[in-house]
Amino acid sequence: MKIIAMIPARYAASRFPGKLMQDLQGKPVIQRTYEAAVKTGLFQEVYVVTDSTTIYDTITNIGGKAIMSIKQHECGSDRIAEAVESMGVDIIVNVQGDEPFTDRESLASVIEVFKDDVKKEIDLASLMTRITDWVEINDPNTVKVIVDNQNFALYFSRAPIPYPRSRELDIPYFKHKGIYAFRKSALMDFQRLPMLILEATEKIEAIRYLEYGKKIKMVETSVTGIEIDTPEDLEKAKKVWK
């Protein structure tokens, strides 16, 4: 299988505009993420795909590979689909541009799903991590996922799922980490299929795959890392990097 990594990098983030170009101990966040993905050694190629000439120039100036988006896109999957449409690849791993602590173990675990899927029944693989803090469980910025007994995703939500009707039960809650591995065919389908009501309501792109019957295999990981969504997250990242 030809496996590549794509890092969608939109400049105008709603909560922290320009966050990918913020300095993280001497290098922009997006460069740190790109270098972390390359360092894993898991991919034949690693690309940053962006709508920003600043981000494009940052990556190409260090000898990296970057692609400028032609169209405007609402989500990372659409941006990646445009970039890979004419590429001869089998598996595309979506690495979030705001996760400079992306680790090899997590990426390898989602790739392994497809190596074991000899019948090619799985369309996507993604990561989830156990959460226990009720503030985080109730935070709409934390996307939660519930799975069946084989760890296939049943639903994603910004609300606490399952609803904790009885606190006496030991209910596992899982946070969805935004690393995806796609079969190229599933990604191309995503680009063609219109958004339906559940995705529009929750503003979670993974729901579109479920609404159209795609199978998403979730892999549990204990690696949490730091996602840079706010200036406060950036300060935490700087302390960890030191």
Side-chain angles (χ1 to χ4, degrees), residues 41 54 59 238:
T54 301
I59 298 302
K238 288 178 179 179

PDB file of all heavy atoms in Angstrom, residues 41 54 59 238:
ATOM      1  N   GLY A  41       8.653   8.338  10.052  1.00  0.00           N
ATOM      2  CA  GLY A  41       9.124   7.368   9.070  1.00  0.00           C
ATOM      3  C   GLY A  41       8.044   6.424   8.565  1.00  0.00           C
ATOM      4  O   GLY A  41       8.342   5.404   7.955  1.00  0.00           O
ATOM      5  N   THR A  54       1.600  32.142   3.009  1.00  0.00           N
ATOM      6  CA  THR A  54       2.566  32.212   4.110  1.00  0.00           C
ATOM      7  C   THR A  54       2.931  30.818   4.600  1.00  0.00           C
ATOM      8  O   THR A  54       4.110  30.489   4.790  1.00  0.00           O
ATOM      9  CB  THR A  54       2.002  33.053   5.272  1.00  0.00           C
ATOM     10  OG1 THR A  54       1.699  34.369   4.805  1.00  0.00           O
ATOM     11  CG2 THR A  54       2.999  33.147   6.411  1.00  0.00           C
ATOM     12  N   ILE A  59       6.767  26.010   4.524  1.00  0.00           N
ATOM     13  CA  ILE A  59       7.098  24.597   4.349  1.00  0.00           C
ATOM     14  C   ILE A  59       8.068  24.384   3.185  1.00  0.00           C
ATOM     15  O   ILE A  59       9.057  23.654   3.303  1.00  0.00           O
ATOM     16  CB  ILE A  59       5.820  23.762   4.147  1.00  0.00           C
ATOM     17  CG1 ILE A  59       4.919  23.854   5.383  1.00  0.00           C
ATOM     18  CG2 ILE A  59       6.165  22.302   3.849  1.00  0.00           C
ATOM     19  CD1 ILE A  59       5.559  23.411   6.677  1.00  0.00           C
ATOM     20  N   LYS A 238       4.647  25.459  24.768  1.00  0.00           N
ATOM     21  CA  LYS A 238       5.994  26.014  24.922  1.00  0.00           C
ATOM     22  C   LYS A 238       6.677  25.450  26.167  1.00  0.00           C
ATOM     23  O   LYS A 238       7.867  25.122  26.148  1.00  0.00           O
ATOM     24  CB  LYS A 238       5.918  27.536  25.013  1.00  0.00           C
ATOM     25  CG  LYS A 238       5.575  28.217  23.689  1.00  0.00           C
ATOM     26  CD  LYS A 238       5.471  29.729  23.860  1.00  0.00           C
ATOM     27  CE  LYS A 238       5.152  30.413  22.525  1.00  0.00           C
ATOM     28  NZ  LYS A 238       5.013  31.889  22.683  1.00  0.00           N
TER      29      LYS A 238
END
